[in-house]
């Protein structure tokens, strides 16, 4: 099954904001580090030793402690991403680590600082990486490594979607599909614990439903064995839901559309089911409803102040103790191919993390 248009799709469109950490011909010193590399599209990744590159004046070198795996990482190395890469390609976009060295014009960070960061063009599945100072944010005191790596993309996407796009209210009832996945669970956490809405989490399996409930879903639906539309009618007493947060697409999207309340809003963020749905516009007309797409990464280029606000917002919410990123499984960097397979087969709950300190 292919995964199309993941919620973090578009992050690599921010290439203009960052210098590639994959340039091989600007090296200094003799120290090497281990990094994952794609040498042939569609083939397993390899771990190789790589020489350090020289820092530019606005760059930061970070020892990567943890890196999160996102669907876009899988798509790129499979050649299924909308923007093709040349090989060798060094994947990894979302990290937490420690600053090792800073360029001469870096002002906000210093060696020893713990940071969380986004590197849209990759390079994060490694013992260390280089990126612009703009790519990193100071990690809050007490932020665990696994949680820090799991924070920015999923929660940034969900925060922007719920607050800006859906304009969610405390009186709303929201349905979240794939509610135990990385993005879905972030949406459940925010909707229930920050925006205080009533959350219905739809998941595939009892274990995933339990996780969604733990994170704040008042109701759960196991769409492996329960009818989504019938359960929504039962829970809402035929009213329908005010907001739908869908990352599955396909038939689930079509069922969701029919579950909307009058003037309801359906947010489409991805198509993990592998099928991009067609929208029967007559349903929107009859319900005075709307469908909105959320392409979080593109805000970094089109409206960077909005993108930056979403990142700062989730960092603030974490500091206030209102959200808790969930890392469902951690693999050593040496098992990166097994980790990719685990995500691709939809076994994961929450975010799947690589421990980049373990390379053997």
């Amino acid at each position: 099954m292919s995964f199309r248009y993941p919620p973090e799709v578009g992050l690599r469109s921010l290439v203009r904001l960052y210098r590639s950490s994959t340039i091989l011909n600007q090296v200094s010193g003799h120290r090497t580090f281990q990094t994952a590399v794609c040498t042939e599209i569609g083939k397993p990744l390899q771990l190789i030793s790589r020489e350090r590159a020289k820092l530019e004046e606005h760059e930061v070198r970070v020892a990567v402690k943890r890196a999160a795996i996102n669907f876009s990482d899988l798509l790129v190395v499979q050649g299924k991403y909308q923007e093709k890469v040349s090989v060798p390609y060094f994947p990894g976009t979302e990290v937490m680590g420690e600053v090792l060295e800073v360029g001469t014009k870096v002002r906000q960070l210093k060696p020893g600082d713990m940071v969380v960061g986004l590197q849209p063009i990759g390079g994060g599945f490694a013992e260390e990486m280089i990126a612009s100072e703009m790519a990193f944010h100071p990690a809050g005191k007490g932020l665990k490594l696994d949680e820090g790596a799991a924070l920015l993309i999923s929660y940034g996407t969900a925060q922007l979607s719920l607050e800006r796009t859906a304009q969610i209210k405390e009186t709303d009832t929201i349905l979240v599909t794939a509610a135990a996945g990385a993005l879905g669970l972030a949406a459940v956490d925010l909707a229930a614990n920050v925006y205080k809405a009533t959350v219905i989490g739809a998941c595939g399996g009892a274990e995933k439903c339990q996780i969604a409930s733990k994170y704040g879903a008042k109701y759960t639906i196991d769409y492996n064995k329960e009818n989504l539309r019938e359960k929504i009618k039962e829970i809402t007493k035929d009213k329908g839901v005010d907001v739908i947060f869908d990352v599955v697409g396909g038939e689930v999207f079509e069922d969701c559309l029919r579950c909307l309340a009058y003037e309801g809003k359906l947010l489409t963020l991805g198509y993990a089911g592998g099928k991009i749905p067609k929208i029967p516009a007559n349903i929107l007309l009859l319900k005075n409803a709307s469908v909105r797409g959320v392409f979080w990464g593109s805000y970094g280029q089109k409206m960077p102040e909005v993108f930056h606000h979403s990142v700062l917002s989730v960092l603030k919410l974490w500091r206030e103790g209102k959200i808790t990123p969930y890392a469902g499984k951690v693999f050593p960097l040496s098992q990166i191919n097994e980790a990719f397979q685990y995500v691709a087969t939809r076994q994961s709950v929450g975010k799947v993390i690589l421990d980049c300190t373990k390379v053997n």
Side-chain angles (χ1 to χ4, degrees), residues 14 40 45 69 97 113 124 129 140 144 147 160 172 180 182 186 199 209 215 219 244 287 294 319 324 327:
L14 302 179
E40 185 176 352
L45 300 175
I69 297 176
D113 287 347
M129 66 183 295
K144 297 178 181 178
E147 292 182 358
L160 185 148
D172 284 339
V199 179
C209 286
Y215 266 67
Y219 307 97
I244 297 175
K287 292 176 176 282
V294 182
R319 288 195 300 269
T324 308

Side-chain angles (χ1 to χ4, degrees), residues 14-305:
L14 302 179
V15 168
R16 294 182 181 88
L17 298 179
Y18 304 101
R19 173 181 174 272
S20 172
S21 63
T22 64
I23 295 176
L24 297 175
N25 61 358
Q26 294 180 338
V27 295
S28 64
H30 301 287
R31 180 174 173 179
T32 62
F33 61 95
Q34 293 289 300
T35 181
V37 61
C38 174
T39 58
E40 185 176 352
I41 297 298
K43 299 296 184 181
L45 300 175
Q46 300 176 30
L47 282 184
I48 64 169
S49 293
R50 187 175 173 200
E51 290 185 311
R52 276 186 160 182
K54 180 180 178 180
L55 281 185
E56 299 294 339
E57 57 188 15
H58 291 288
E59 289 183 331
V60 177
R61 192 188 315 275
V62 169
V64 181
K65 303 299 184 182
R66 300 290 188 276
I69 297 176
N70 292 289
F71 279 128
S72 60
D73 298 313
L74 277 68
L75 292 172
V76 170
V77 300
Q78 292 170 357
K80 298 177 181 178
Y81 192 67
Q82 62 183 8
E83 296 178 4
K84 306 304 180 183
V85 298
S86 58
V87 294
Y89 171 72
F90 299 85
T93 59
E94 184 178 21
V95 304
M96 181 169 178
E98 180 181 355
V99 175
L100 295 175
E101 182 184 0
V102 300
T104 57
K105 292 190 177 180
V106 171
R107 297 291 180 263
Q108 303 302 317
L109 298 172
K110 64 183 184 303
D113 287 347
M114 296 300 296
V115 293
V116 291
L118 299 173
Q119 172 62 310
I121 51 176
F125 297 155
E127 288 184 290
E128 61 181 59
M129 66 183 295
I130 291 174
S132 164
E133 179 184 18
M134 296 170 61
F136 298 106
H137 298 268
K141 185 178 181 180
L143 181 60
K144 297 178 181 178
L145 294 174
D146 297 342
E147 292 182 358
L151 179 60
L152 295 185
I153 290 179
S154 295
Y155 277 84
T157 303
Q159 189 276 337
L160 185 148
S161 302
L162 296 176
E163 185 172 293
R164 179 183 176 86
T165 310
Q167 298 180 342
I168 194 169
K169 306 183 298 294
E170 189 172 340
T171 54
D172 284 339
T173 297
I174 177 173
L175 168 65
V176 179
T177 64
L183 180 55
L185 200 58
V188 169
D189 194 5
L190 284 162
N193 301 311
V194 175
Y195 302 112
K196 307 300 182 183
T198 299
V199 179
I200 304 171
C203 308
E207 179 185 356
K208 293 182 178 181
C209 286
Q210 290 175 0
I211 292 290
S213 294
K214 180 181 177 181
Y215 266 67
K218 185 174 181 179
Y219 307 97
T220 58
I221 300 171
D222 182 351
Y223 43 43
N224 282 349
K225 60 183 181 181
E226 296 178 296
N227 184 283
L228 182 66
R229 291 171 62 185
E230 290 179 1
K231 290 296 294 183
I232 292 297
K233 286 183 178 180
E234 176 187 327
I235 292 168
T236 66
K237 297 180 172 56
D238 288 328
K239 174 181 177 292
V241 293
D242 304 293
V243 178
I244 297 175
F245 187 101
D246 178 51
V247 300
V248 177
E251 293 180 2
V252 171
F253 175 96
E254 295 167 12
D255 285 341
C256 285
L257 194 60
R258 289 169 171 80
C259 294
L260 278 174
Y262 191 75
E263 290 195 322
K265 304 169 186 175
L266 192 160
L267 309 185
T268 176
L269 294 100
Y271 309 106
K275 180 181 177 182
I276 299 174
K278 295 182 179 179
I279 300 173
N282 62 308
I283 295 177
L284 302 181
L285 183 145
L286 293 172
K287 292 176 176 282
N288 279 313
S290 61
V291 175
R292 291 283 302 274
V294 182
F295 191 7
W296 182 67
S298 67
Y299 278 96
Q301 184 177 22
K302 301 293 186 180
M303 303 179 75
E305 70 285 356

